[in-house]
């Protein structure tokens, strides 16, 4: 069976789902072995497009007004700030950034849903593979709402590729820590094509195409992950985060629990209320 | 198959896991159907950990005298502008066993070796290992703890109906509920659970939760219950993002207020200015 149309894939998925419902047996052998934990690798793994250097050299196809936001973010980072990365206050990275997999991710494949579980913040992506259509109203989430199709591209009778489309993504999001922004209109669509490397089953590839109103054209990149033994490690950002916001200003907390500047020459916080007579 | 002891249950689980591993087929019919969206029964009125006890003094009575004093001191400190008793107000996870209050609906995903309890709130994913493993000698504490479970077929109909779980290595600080009832600081609490569907109503799930902790006079057992809508074809899963209270900040062990214009303010009368020595 060669790569098939979406209709064909949907029909196959629906047929499989029906048989599961009838026999109540999930034939694991029909799906690829994506067990274990998957983690990005390589020196450039922190950048959205690992084939290019970080920052402006990513050449994100941003519209001019969004390119200015990126440039300002990079300048702020160079000065010691965090740019416009919402993640350092423990927020969700959202789609598509969560698929950078700088912290491990793992998959739970069931006939009607494939779960992508992210160690960072223990977030769960549900990729519905039961053939249902897009709901009229999407609930809206930083990881969006995902519908997927399993495909048997080489016709060996076993699915090998998961095609995913994600919509309904909301919240302030950037592609990576340098701060290339997505449009705030929350109209982003992300398409993914996930499959094991043909020669190395311990490498998983994810071709990610982002369609966003801040871009001049769809932006396609390839992320790759390496399999690791399955060990879950709770990642609780809020319990260890040393960044602190007071009003609109950012500070650091020292190991001895005192306020510190994040940038050279940063002014201390305004303590006028401590000088005023207290009620 | 009648109710069986730990050894028998483990052997059965191991055998099942082996057959699954060999055939690569997951026989769902051996496990209970707990699919769907489970909503805690009782709603907002069920916010206390133990709804059978009068809030406050009744629950407090279960604490050792030492921890009754700790609890009272914490309440006094919070009233005086100190850190909030409830760590979730700072986006620290509820942890075990409090997460089982299921303030937001939960999903239970059963696979042969692991059962997952998924909650929309951040940092709240439980892995219940049912592959027959033992607790490791050394466990890194986590808010959600490390859980090992055993499936049991209590009525002998050939299908598992009950999941027994033990959870250890729970990281603090954590509390039973928003009132701030504390756990012992030694981090040695052990939580055991018995999860099963109601015999008369398969759309109601019960979790008998027993906590053993050195801050308690005796083990504390409560039953939390959840209900799913059998007619709900496709539940809507909401994402719950923790928003830190921007009107309060914790610097070291001192709690401060933040004014509407974003300036630091004392939380209590006479509070000292924060030490700004790193700005010199």
């Amino acid at each position: 069976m060669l790569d098939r149309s979406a209709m064909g894939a949907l029909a196959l998925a629906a047929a499989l789902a029906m048989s599961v419902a009838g026999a109540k047996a999930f034939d694991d052998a029909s799906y690829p072995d994506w067990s274990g934990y998957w983690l990005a690798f390589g020196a450039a793994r922190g950048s959205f497009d690992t084939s290019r250097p970080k920052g402006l050299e990513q050449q994100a196809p941003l519209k001019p007004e969004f390119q200015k936001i990126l440039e300002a973010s990079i300048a702020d980072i160079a000065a010691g700030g965090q740019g416009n990365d919402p993640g350092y206050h423990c927020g969700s990275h959202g789609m598509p950034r969560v698929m950078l997999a700088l912290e491990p991710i793992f998959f739970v494949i069931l006939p009607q849903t494939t779960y992508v579980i992210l160690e960072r913040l223990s977030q769960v992506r549900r990729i519905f593979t039961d053939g249902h259509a897009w709901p009229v109203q999407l609930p809206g989430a930083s990881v969006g709402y995902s519908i997927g199709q399993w495909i048997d591209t080489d016709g060996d009778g076993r699915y090998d590729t998961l095609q995913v489309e994600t919509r309904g993504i909301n919240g302030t999001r950037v592609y990576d820590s340098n701060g290339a922004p997505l449009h705030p209109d929350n109209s982003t669509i992300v398409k993914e094509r996930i499959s094991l490397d043909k020669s190395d089953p311990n490498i998983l590839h994810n071709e990610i195409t982002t369609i966003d109103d801040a871009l001049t054209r769809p932006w396609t990149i390839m992320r790759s992950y390496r399999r690791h033994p399955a060990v879950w490690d709770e990642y609780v950002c809020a319990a260890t985060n040393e960044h602190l916001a007071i009003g609109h200003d950012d500070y650091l907390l020292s190991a001895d629990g005192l306020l510190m500047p994040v940038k050279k020459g940063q002014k201390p916080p305004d303590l006028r209320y401590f000088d005023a007579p207290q009620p | 198959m009648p109710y069986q002891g730990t050894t028998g249950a483990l052997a059965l689980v191991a055998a099942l896991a082996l057959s699954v591993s060999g055939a690569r087929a997951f026989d769902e019919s051996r496990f209970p159907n707990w699919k769907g969206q489970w909503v805690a029964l009782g709603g907002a009125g069920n916010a206390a950990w133990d709804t059978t006890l009068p809030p406050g003094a009744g629950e407090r009575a279960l604490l050792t005298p030492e921890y009754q004093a700790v609890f009272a001191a914490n309440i006094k400190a919070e009233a005086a502008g100190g850190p909030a008793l409830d760590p979730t107000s700072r986006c620290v996870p509820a942890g075990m066993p409090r997460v089982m209050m299921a303030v937001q609906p939960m999903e239970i995903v059963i696979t042969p070796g692991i059962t997952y309890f998924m909650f929309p709130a951040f940092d709240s994913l439980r892995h219940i290992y049912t592959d027959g493993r033992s607790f490791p000698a050394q466990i890194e504490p986590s808010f959600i703890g490390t859980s090992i479970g055993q499936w049991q077929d209590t009525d002998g109909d050939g299908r598992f109906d009950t999941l027994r779980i033990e959870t250890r290595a729970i990281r603090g600080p954590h509390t039973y509920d928003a009132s701030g009832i504390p756990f012992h600081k030694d981090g040695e609490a052990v939580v055991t659970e018995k999860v099963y569907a109601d015999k008369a109503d398969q759309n109601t799930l019960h979790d008998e939760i027993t906590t053993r902790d050195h801050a308690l006079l005796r083990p504390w057992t409560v039953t939390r219950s959840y209900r799913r809508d059998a007619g709900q074809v496709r539940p809507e899963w909401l994402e719950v993002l923790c928003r830190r209270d921007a009107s309060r900040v914790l610097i070291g062990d001192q709690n401060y207020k933040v004014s509407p214009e974003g300036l630091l303010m004392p939380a209590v009368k006479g509070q000292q200015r924060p030490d700004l020595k790193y700005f010199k």
Side-chain angles (χ1 to χ4, degrees):
Chain A
M1 183 169 54
L2 297 173
D3 193 355
R4 52 179 62 201
S5 68
M7 286 286 285
L10 278 173
L12 183 63
L16 182 66
M18 283 178 68
S19 72
V20 165
K24 301 286 289 177
F26 168 38
D27 185 5
D28 213 7
S30 294
Y31 293 85
D33 176 11
W34 291 358
S35 60
Y37 280 53
W38 298 93
L39 191 59
F41 61 94
R45 65 186 180 279
S47 295
F48 188 63
D49 183 350
T50 56
S51 70
R52 296 177 185 274
K54 68 178 184 179
L56 294 174
E57 292 187 71
Q58 286 275 294
Q59 298 179 25
L62 292 168
K63 291 176 179 173
E65 63 266 39
F66 293 94
Q67 180 71 17
K68 285 181 183 171
I69 294 171
L70 170 61
E71 289 169 3
S73 177
I74 289 173
D76 185 59
I77 292 167
Q82 300 296 320
N84 61 340
D85 175 5
Y88 79 101
H89 279 310
C90 300
S92 169
H93 283 166
M95 275 293 288
R97 186 177 174 188
V98 294
M99 295 310 290
L100 264 65
L102 300 180
E103 303 294 337
I105 64 175
F106 69 93
F107 297 84
V108 177
I109 300 173
L110 292 177
Q112 300 189 346
T113 307
T114 291
Y115 300 84
V116 185
I117 298 176
L118 317 167
E119 188 170 290
R120 185 180 189 273
L121 307 179
S122 299
Q123 282 186 283
V124 176
R125 287 185 68 196
R126 292 176 177 82
I127 299 171
F128 300 106
T129 55
D130 58 353
H132 78 259
W134 291 100
V136 177
Q137 278 273 318
L138 293 174
S142 68
V143 294
Y145 187 101
S146 301
I147 288 182
Q149 297 155 16
W150 283 104
I151 303 174
D152 174 10
T153 62
D154 57 8
D156 67 355
R158 185 175 189 176
Y159 295 126
D160 52 54
T161 299
L162 179 60
Q163 285 201 159
V164 188
E165 182 168 323
T166 301
R167 305 181 190 173
I169 310 167
N170 64 13
T172 303
R173 286 161 297 121
V174 297
Y175 290 91
D176 59 32
S177 60
N178 279 297
L182 288 104
H183 200 288
D185 65 8
N186 294 329
S187 296
T188 313
I189 294 174
V190 178
K191 297 186 178 186
E192 297 166 274
R193 189 176 168 90
I194 309 172
S195 59
L196 289 174
D197 188 276
K198 296 291 182 194
S199 58
D200 184 351
N202 291 316
I203 301 292
L204 190 68
H205 300 296
N206 187 3
E207 183 188 273
I208 304 174
T209 298
T210 305
I211 301 161
D212 184 76
D213 290 335
L215 299 174
T216 57
R217 57 175 169 77
W219 187 12
T220 299
I221 57 102
M222 179 70 84
R223 301 290 306 183
S224 295
Y225 319 113
R226 181 171 287 145
R227 195 194 310 253
H228 292 264
V231 178
W232 176 257
D233 188 15
E234 184 178 68
Y235 178 103
V236 180
C237 179
T240 55
N241 190 19
E242 72 276 20
H243 292 280
L244 181 73
I246 300 174
H248 298 295
D249 295 315
D250 289 320
Y251 302 92
L252 285 171
L253 280 174
S254 69
D256 50 351
L258 302 182
L259 276 182
M260 294 171 64
V262 293
K263 296 178 187 175
K264 190 175 179 182
Q266 183 177 358
K267 291 181 179 176
D270 184 334
L271 298 182
R272 74 179 71 169
Y273 285 110
F274 288 86
D275 298 326
Q278 295 174 12
Chain B
M1 181 172 55
Y3 176 86
Q4 51 193 47
T6 302
T7 308
L10 279 174
L12 181 64
V13 167
L16 182 66
L18 272 171
S19 71
V20 167
S21 171
R24 292 193 59 80
F26 169 33
D27 185 1
E28 272 190 302
S29 67
R30 298 297 311 276
F31 293 87
N33 175 6
W34 290 352
K35 293 174 182 172
Q37 187 174 63
W38 295 99
V39 178
L41 287 172
N46 209 10
W49 177 244
D50 190 340
T51 54
T52 66
L53 296 173
E59 293 187 325
R60 205 179 307 171
L62 287 167
L63 293 172
T64 62
E66 179 190 356
Y67 271 83
Q68 286 194 36
V70 168
F71 189 27
N74 289 347
I75 291 172
K76 190 176 176 184
E78 183 185 39
L85 283 175
D86 182 357
T88 65
S89 67
R90 298 186 291 277
C91 294
V92 173
M96 272 295 290
R98 183 176 169 186
V99 70
M100 291 310 297
M101 290 176 80
V103 176
Q104 291 94 23
M106 68 176 174
E107 180 175 13
I108 301 172
V109 175
I110 298 172
T111 70
I114 306 178
T115 292
Y116 302 93
F117 284 64
M118 300 177 178
F119 303 86
F122 275 14
D123 307 312
S124 300
L125 173 71
R126 297 187 66 192
H127 294 57
I128 317 297
Y129 297 102
T130 57
D131 54 0
R133 72 180 66 185
S134 304
F135 281 104
Q138 292 282 331
I139 312 175
E140 181 69 26
S142 61
F143 289 103
I144 211 72
T146 295
S147 299
I148 288 182
Q150 297 157 15
W151 283 105
Q152 295 177 338
D153 173 9
T154 62
D155 58 8
D157 67 355
R159 186 174 189 173
F160 295 126
D161 51 50
T162 299
L163 179 58
R164 287 188 176 268
I165 310 169
E166 181 168 319
T167 300
R168 303 181 190 171
I170 306 168
R171 175 181 171 183
H174 59 136
T175 61
Y176 288 89
D177 57 29
S179 73
I181 305 167
F183 285 76
H184 198 285
K185 64 183 178 186
D186 64 10
E188 294 184 1
V190 174
V191 179
T192 53
E193 297 168 87
K194 179 182 174 185
V195 188
Y196 56 96
D198 192 280
K199 295 290 181 199
D201 178 5
Q202 292 295 301
N203 294 313
T204 297
L205 196 68
H206 303 294
D207 187 6
E208 289 176 16
I209 308 170
T210 298
T211 304
R212 292 174 174 80
D213 183 70
H214 292 141
L216 295 174
L217 291 168
R218 61 180 184 278
W220 188 1
T221 299
V222 303
T223 299
R224 313 292 307 185
S225 297
Y226 319 92
R227 182 156 181 80
R228 67 180 168 190
D229 178 355
Q232 193 177 32
V233 177
R234 195 164 292 114
E236 187 172 287
W237 296 103
L238 297 178
E239 182 180 64
V240 179
L241 306 178
C242 184
R243 302 281 184 208
R244 193 178 56 80
D245 180 1
S247 68
R248 294 155 64 124
V249 292
L250 192 63
I251 301 174
D253 61 356
Q254 289 292 305
N255 186 53
Y256 297 93
K257 288 183 179 175
V258 177
S259 71
E261 74 266 39
L263 302 182
L264 212 54
M265 296 173 66
V268 290
K269 188 175 180 179
Q271 188 173 15
Q272 296 294 306
R273 298 157 61 108
D275 187 337
L276 300 179
K277 70 177 181 184
Y278 289 113
F279 288 87
K280 290 171 186 169

